[in-house]
């Protein structure tokens, strides 16, 4: 008869690997990944096709994504198993909005101003909403998307900007000598501000480390950029799904490049300037 002290594999109890204590992967919890020694604070937990993952940020701001495997991390030198938080994870510092502004508890959305912010496409609008949504509602600023800026002069004329009806426009790939730069010059004035970021698409304004990739791949001219990105990253050629994946990786302003952050803040200041 087999002794009760032994398991089915006849491993003595003193040699069995004991289960590691489970620790909830709350944001800002500092852990070390056992196989690489990468030490960082928890940024987010996500459910992927390969299973649950956790993103860590080290003291230099570098992000790395790891599978949440049993006994996969060290907490204060002890092996632990990270588990996903059961409730909705907080995406921002207490008392702050996702944009880093001071939160106003219980504040109601303000009646919309006549001033507006226009962005090029739906993805741009969704990203702005994700990070600056709380701020925009308090300020009463509505963000709309244009589906491109080729018709921007006519759109601005129809909007009818004025001192109490300002218009701010965010443009992709706004570089000297480009079509976008020439169109922007036609409409910029005292009551219209057009600013832009240098990226081909708003996807690139999300830090690669936040998405879990080393860098945004280079796509040759003439190839559809978003599809080219998906091919080179090994993602399915499904740009809506790819965008959902990218957007889900954004918790706060810390996940965005400074070139976008500054421009959006500039637009918000412009359309609210001089108004109570």
């Amino acid at each position: 008869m087999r002794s009760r002290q032994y398991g089915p594999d006849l491993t003595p109890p003193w040699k069995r690997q004991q289960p590691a204590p489970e620790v909830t992967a709350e944001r800002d919890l500092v852990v070390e990944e056992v196989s690489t020694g990468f030490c960082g604070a928890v940024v987010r937990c996500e459910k992927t096709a390969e299973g649950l993952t956790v993103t860590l940020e080290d003291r230099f701001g570098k992000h790395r994504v790891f599978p949440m495997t049993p006994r996969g991390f060290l907490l204060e030198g002890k092996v632990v198993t990270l588990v996903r938080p059961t409730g909705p994870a907080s995406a921002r510092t207490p008392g702050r909005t996702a944009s880093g502004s001071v939160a106003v508890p219980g504040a109601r959305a303000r009646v919309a101003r006549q001033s507006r912010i226009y962005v090029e496409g739906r993805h741009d609008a969704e990203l702005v909403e994700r990070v600056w949504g709380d701020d925009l509602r308090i300020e009463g600023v509505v963000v709309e998307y244009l589906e491109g800026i080729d018709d921007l002069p006519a759109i601005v004329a129809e909007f009818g900007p004025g001192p109490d009806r300002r218009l701010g426009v965010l443009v992709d790939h706004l570089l000297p000598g480009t079509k976008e730069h020439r169109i922007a010059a036609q409409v910029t004035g005292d009551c219209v501000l057009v600013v832009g970021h240098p990226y081909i698409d708003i996807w690139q304004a999300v830090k690669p480390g936040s998405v879990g990739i080393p860098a945004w791949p280079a796509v040759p001219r003439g190839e559809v950029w978003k599809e080219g990105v998906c091919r080179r990253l090994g993602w399915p050629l499904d740009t809506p799904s790819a965008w959902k994946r990218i957007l889900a990786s954004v918790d706060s302003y810390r996940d965005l490049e400074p070139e976008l952050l500054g421009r959006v803040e500039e637009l918000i200041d412009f359309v609210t300037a001089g108004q109570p």
Side-chain angles (χ1 to χ4, degrees):
M1 294 180 62
R2 187 171 64 240
S3 169
R4 293 181 181 178
Q5 293 182 344
Y6 291 80
D9 59 356
L10 299 182
T11 302
W14 57 87
K15 288 188 177 181
R16 293 178 201 159
Q17 190 177 62
Q18 298 299 315
E22 293 186 347
V23 175
T24 303
E26 298 286 357
R27 186 177 178 88
D28 296 329
L29 176 73
V30 178
V31 294
E32 178 182 340
E33 203 276 331
V34 295
S35 62
T36 62
F38 185 91
C39 184
V42 173
V43 174
R44 72 180 66 84
C45 297
E46 294 179 288
K47 185 177 181 180
T48 69
E50 292 75 29
L52 293 177
T53 64
V54 60
T55 302
L56 303 182
E57 179 183 46
D58 70 8
R59 61 192 181 95
F60 301 108
K62 181 180 180 181
H63 286 204
R64 287 192 62 177
V65 181
F66 298 100
M68 294 175 67
T69 55
R71 303 178 63 84
F73 300 87
L74 296 176
L75 176 62
E76 297 179 351
K78 298 181 179 179
V79 176
V80 298
T81 296
L82 290 184
V83 295
R84 193 179 188 184
T86 55
S90 174
R92 56 198 65 152
T93 304
R96 297 278 176 176
T97 67
S99 71
S101 301
V102 177
V104 183
R108 294 184 178 181
R110 174 180 172 148
V111 175
R113 300 173 186 265
Q114 294 186 66
S115 298
R116 291 286 187 274
I117 292 176
Y118 286 171
V119 297
E120 282 205 52
R122 177 179 174 180
H123 292 178
D124 307 67
E126 290 175 341
L127 187 61
V128 170
E129 163 62 27
R130 189 169 183 88
V131 176
W132 287 274
D134 291 341
D135 308 63
L136 293 169
R137 279 182 282 278
I138 290 177
E139 295 289 351
V141 177
V142 175
V143 175
E144 301 179 16
Y145 64 91
L146 304 171
E147 295 290 3
I149 66 164
D150 289 349
D151 298 325
L152 186 59
I155 292 170
V156 172
E158 182 180 359
F159 179 80
D164 297 322
R165 186 177 171 81
R166 293 186 168 205
L167 179 61
V169 185
L170 179 68
V171 177
D172 297 341
H173 203 232
L174 188 62
L175 298 173
T178 61
K179 174 193 72 174
E180 291 82 1
H181 193 269
R182 291 191 294 271
I183 293 174
Q186 295 178 45
V187 300
T188 299
D190 292 340
C191 300
V192 179
L193 175 64
V194 181
V195 300
H197 55 75
Y199 306 112
I200 295 173
D201 190 272
I202 197 70
W203 288 19
Q204 284 184 302
V206 180
K207 291 180 178 179
S210 296
V211 185
I213 59 176
W216 289 106
V219 178
R221 185 183 297 271
E223 183 177 354
V224 178
W225 188 83
K226 290 178 180 176
E227 293 180 0
V229 167
C230 291
R231 289 190 188 96
R232 286 160 180 79
L233 292 177
W235 295 354
L237 288 180
D238 183 347
T239 54
S241 294
W243 171 242
K244 288 181 181 178
R245 177 175 184 168
I246 295 166
L247 187 63
S249 71
V250 177
D251 286 334
S252 74
Y253 71 95
R254 292 181 293 182
D255 296 307
L256 303 182
E257 298 288 0
E259 289 83 355
L260 176 65
L261 293 173
R263 302 295 73 75
V264 175
E265 296 286 352
E266 187 178 355
L267 289 177
I268 295 174
D269 290 344
F270 177 77
V271 299
T272 58
Q275 300 183 39

